Amino acid sequence: MQSVAAALARLGDLAATPTVSRLANAFALAGHELALVGGPVRDAFLDRPLHDLDFTTDATPDQILALVKPLSEAQWDIGRAYGTIGASLAGETVEITTYRADSYDGTTRKPDVVFGRHLEADLLRRDFTVNAMALRLPQLTLVDPAGGIDDLLAKRLRTPSTPEVSFGDDPLRMLRAARFTGQLGFTLDLDTALAMEKMRDSIRIVSAERIGDELSKLLVSKDPRAGIEVLMESGLAEIVLPEIPGLQLEIDEHHHHKDVYQHSLTVLEQAMGYEKSRGNLEAPDLIVRLAALLHDIGKPATRKLEPGGVVSFYHHDVVGAKLAKKRLRALRFDNDTINAVARLIELHLRFFGYTEGAWTDSAVRRYVRDAGDQLERLHILTRADVTTRNRRKADRLGFAYDDLEQRIAALNEQEELGAVRPDLDGEQIMVVLGVKPGREVGEAYRYLLEQRLDDGPLGEEEATRRLTHWWAERVQ
């Protein structure tokens, strides 16, 4: 946390940059107010990088556009109806929005847009006090009508108006509250937390895309566990991601198993650690974190109480992969993310067979083949899934996975496992078998691929011999 003087110095340096100073001078000469607002002002106090140059003004959208056109390389007015004009100045993206004084009907998130005349009134309608501060330009005057600086010092999230009014205006702010706890390390003040619990059902009017976007931002934050716990305590998780509260399985006095919910949060945290230490993925990695959080969501549906106090979850990997696909589709995630997360969940138990007996080279090849381009993420998820407090067991599993990775590396050096192909391609198969393109070529290709996975590279001559033998037996 920066002192007020240090934060103002940082903001002064930002205001002196060509992009900001040119804008400030242009608006001042035209007789309009301009202020840097929201995230950049907050982050100056938190000693975070200053991104997202957002401004607010008393100028109308048409006036904003007229002022920025001579200064910018490009402009866009996709948000004009809401008072926002975007522009690119000296390679930097800025957004400038007319003061707002909107009203909401309580049934949708779409406000009746009303432009305002005063900066203070505009700030008081924002989501949280720490985001309701502005720096007047070019005067460099800090405006803080809701006590945002005090809340920053206390690391507290509080709404400028009453939380009932704020969340009634825009229920998505409840998810933003959870996200900011993870992103900024803040806690909710009591009134805000109580209002979220009371008003959680209003989140249903928010679009699935916006909910999915906020959950993604929460998961890639510095401390997603804190935000998830806010969702759980408020009851919002039951609406936006019900599979997570579903992990809180009841444990009776005769049957015992680990707390699946707490285990999943621990796996998420450990996966975050592996993201940084392995260095083969760009951290934070949303796919890794989604897979870590959701990897055991198949357990509630597959839970079975066995004799002797044992609890089993047979096939929870396969069931969990299907459930993850369904939930992520409902939240409008893209297909690549959905398929990657589901694949990781489906494969997350595969390694534990390695500890029960030595795998053949064929099994190692299949592990790599099945993981495909998710192999590095599978390494992370599998290692993170070891949460036992038994040091000896944890070490044994860690050493076993070290061994598996070494074998993968050795085989990859010999055989290029990431690009395993049959020793004959489709054209060669047709020549050997004397057939035209069709179903038989695909079957032959798959047969040779299985042979390649079983025995490694065969060479063209041996592959031809095996293919001819297979074809002869097949046509008998």
Side-chain angles (χ1 to χ4, degrees), residues 37-38 56 122-128 131-132 160-161 166 173:
V37 69
T56 188
D122 176 90
L123 294 175
L124 288 172
R125 57 169 292 280
R126 292 175 181 263
D127 55 1
F128 300 102
N131 295 329
S161 57
S166 183
R173 290 172 175 172

Side-chain angles (χ1 to χ4, degrees), residues 15-149:
T17 61
T19 296
V20 179
S21 61
R22 289 172 66 197
L23 276 176
N25 291 334
F27 276 75
L29 287 172
H32 290 295
E33 297 178 2
L34 185 72
L36 184 70
V37 69
V41 181
R42 176 199 70 210
D43 290 341
F45 285 89
L46 296 177
D47 200 20
R48 289 161 53 94
L50 303 184
H51 299 306
D52 302 328
L53 295 179
D54 294 329
F55 300 89
T56 188
T57 179
D58 62 347
T60 66
D62 288 342
Q63 291 169 330
I64 296 171
L65 194 58
L67 286 168
V68 300
K69 268 189 175 181
L71 307 176
S72 57
E73 303 89 51
Q75 313 83 36
W76 49 94
D77 60 358
I78 191 170
R80 181 195 286 260
Y82 295 93
T84 300
I85 299 297
S88 176
L89 282 76
E92 290 193 81
T93 298
V94 302
E95 287 192 351
I96 308 169
T97 303
T98 306
Y99 296 155
R100 298 270 293 273
D102 303 339
S103 61
Y104 292 78
D105 61 14
T107 59
T108 72
R109 289 186 63 244
K110 295 180 179 180
D112 295 323
V113 178
V114 177
F115 296 139
R117 300 177 60 186
H118 304 289
L119 174 59
E120 289 80 0
D122 176 90
L123 294 175
L124 288 172
R125 57 169 292 280
R126 292 175 181 263
D127 55 1
F128 300 102
T129 60
V130 296
N131 295 329
M133 299 183 295
L135 185 74
R136 287 189 185 275
L137 300 170
Q139 302 93 328
L140 301 184
T141 304
L142 184 66
V143 182
D144 179 20
I149 291 177

Side-chain angles (χ1 to χ4, degrees), residues 371-389:
D373 59 1
Q374 300 306 314
L375 182 62
E376 182 61 27
R377 291 187 172 109
L378 184 58
H379 290 333
I380 291 174
L381 177 60
T382 302
R383 288 183 180 274
D385 197 23
V386 178
T387 62
T388 179
R389 295 180 182 177

Side-chain angles (χ1 to χ4, degrees), residues 412-425:
N412 191 50
E413 187 174 340
Q414 299 169 22
E415 306 177 14
E416 296 184 12
L417 292 184
V420 169
R421 298 287 187 274
D423 295 83
L424 302 178
D425 61 22

Side-chain angles (χ1 to χ4, degrees), residues 388-404:
T388 179
R389 295 180 182 177
N390 184 321
R391 190 70 263 164
R392 182 176 296 179
K393 181 179 180 182
D395 288 343
R396 177 173 59 83
L397 291 169
F399 293 148
Y401 209 87
D402 289 343
D403 182 67
L404 175 58

Side-chain angles (χ1 to χ4, degrees), residues 123-268:
L123 294 175
L124 288 172
R125 57 169 292 280
R126 292 175 181 263
D127 55 1
F128 300 102
T129 60
V130 296
N131 295 329
M133 299 183 295
L135 185 74
R136 287 189 185 275
L137 300 170
Q139 302 93 328
L140 301 184
T141 304
L142 184 66
V143 182
D144 179 20
I149 291 177
D150 290 339
D151 289 331
L152 279 173
L153 291 170
K155 294 188 175 181
R156 176 176 57 221
L157 277 179
R158 184 172 60 87
T159 56
S161 57
T162 67
E164 289 79 8
V165 169
S166 183
F167 297 152
D169 283 348
D170 186 357
L172 185 66
R173 290 172 175 172
M174 295 186 288
L175 293 188
R176 286 170 62 83
R179 191 239 297 184
F180 282 132
T181 61
Q183 185 175 311
L184 304 178
F186 287 10
T187 57
L188 305 182
D189 84 316
L190 181 59
D191 289 343
T192 302
L194 291 174
M196 287 173 63
E197 185 176 357
K198 182 172 69 175
M199 301 179 68
R200 62 182 182 267
D201 280 333
S202 64
I203 199 68
R204 299 182 192 276
I205 72 171
V206 179
S207 70
E209 290 87 349
R210 296 303 301 272
I211 291 173
D213 184 54
E214 279 300 324
L215 291 175
S216 296
K217 291 176 180 177
L218 166 57
L219 279 175
V220 298
S221 70
K222 182 179 179 180
D223 184 13
R225 182 177 194 139
I228 293 166
E229 288 173 345
V230 167
L231 294 180
M232 293 287 287
E233 290 163 5
S234 65
L236 281 162
E238 295 177 6
I239 301 171
V240 301
L241 201 58
E243 292 78 9
I244 302 308
L247 294 174
Q248 293 181 310
L249 301 179
E250 183 178 338
I251 302 175
D252 64 37
E253 59 181 316
H254 302 295
H255 294 81
H256 302 283
H257 58 81
K258 68 178 68 176
D259 184 321
V260 183
Y261 167 65
Q262 291 297 333
H263 164 74
S264 297
L265 293 184
T266 301
V267 172
L268 171 59

